[in-house]
Amino acid sequence: MTDTKLNRRRLLGWMGVGASMPVLAACGSAQAREGNFRVTRSEEEWRRQLSPAEFRILRQEGTERAFTSPLNDEKRAGTFACKGCGNALYSSRHKYDSGTGWPSFWQAIDRGAVGRSTDYKLGYARTEVHCADCGGHLGHIFNDGPQPTGKRHCINGLALDFRSL
């Protein structure tokens, strides 16, 4: 009888988690787009400005396939800016090879360059990073980066525009 109650409790618990998934999926990163950003455009304007792949990443919070961005191997000195609005986001001084297949940085170029929100799309909380000026989705921040921050800003190369010094 105890096993039956325990299994029933587990089943009810998992049903509750499953029922809450649509609510959790609706939370988080979409909130970033609803903020008041310095740069705003209509969906049509974004579509005209960006390629379909860039639009999918920046405006629909997509992810590019690992190891497909030429910026992953970019070693020159320079600045990585938002492809949507040109906001300076990351310095080449903070870039490192994380081995993940995406351009990775241990910090943003300055405190006001990027914003953060919570993303529940995979069913658990992740820190999404977006452009502070236009709200464009850049990628995610993880706690497995190098010192001095211990952070890994895992960024879609399609969301970036590289400017060499």
Side-chain angles (χ1 to χ4, degrees):
M1 187 109 181
T2 304
D3 288 338
T4 305
K5 285 183 184 178
L6 185 57
N7 287 338
R8 193 174 297 143
R9 284 186 185 142
R10 280 189 185 156
L11 175 64
L12 290 172
W14 281 110
M15 287 172 61
V17 168
S20 67
M21 292 306 287
V23 172
L24 292 175
C27 297
S29 55
Q31 294 171 342
R33 287 194 311 263
E34 295 170 9
N36 292 323
F37 295 104
R38 190 177 64 75
V39 176
T40 58
R41 292 184 175 88
S42 69
E43 181 175 333
E44 183 179 312
E45 290 170 320
W46 284 118
R47 285 187 185 278
R48 279 196 307 263
Q49 177 186 332
L50 303 168
S51 72
E54 292 164 349
F55 183 85
R56 184 178 58 78
I57 301 292
L58 285 163
R59 309 316 305 171
Q60 296 178 321
E61 300 154 1
T63 301
E64 67 191 4
R65 281 187 319 126
F67 300 101
T68 60
S69 173
L71 294 181
N72 192 42
D73 298 320
E74 181 59 66
K75 306 277 192 252
R76 295 175 292 166
T79 302
F80 296 83
C82 176
K83 188 74 151 195
C85 70
N87 179 30
L89 301 170
Y90 295 98
S91 168
S92 60
R93 293 185 315 247
H94 305 137
K95 188 174 186 284
Y96 71 101
D97 184 2
S98 66
T100 61
W102 289 279
S104 297
F105 306 85
W106 49 270
Q107 73 178 30
I109 200 163
D110 64 52
R111 290 181 151 226
V114 300
R116 299 170 187 205
S117 59
T118 304
D119 169 3
Y120 292 97
K121 285 185 204 153
L122 297 180
Y124 57 91
R126 295 185 304 165
T127 301
E128 181 198 358
V129 61
H130 58 270
C131 174
D133 281 2
C134 72
H137 171 76
L138 303 172
H140 292 85
I141 301 174
F142 300 97
N143 294 320
D144 60 1
Q147 292 306 314
T149 64
K151 302 293 184 191
R152 172 174 49 100
H153 293 232
C154 188
I155 308 300
N156 289 288
L158 284 171
L160 301 174
D161 189 23
F162 179 73
R163 301 173 186 156
S164 63
L165 293 180

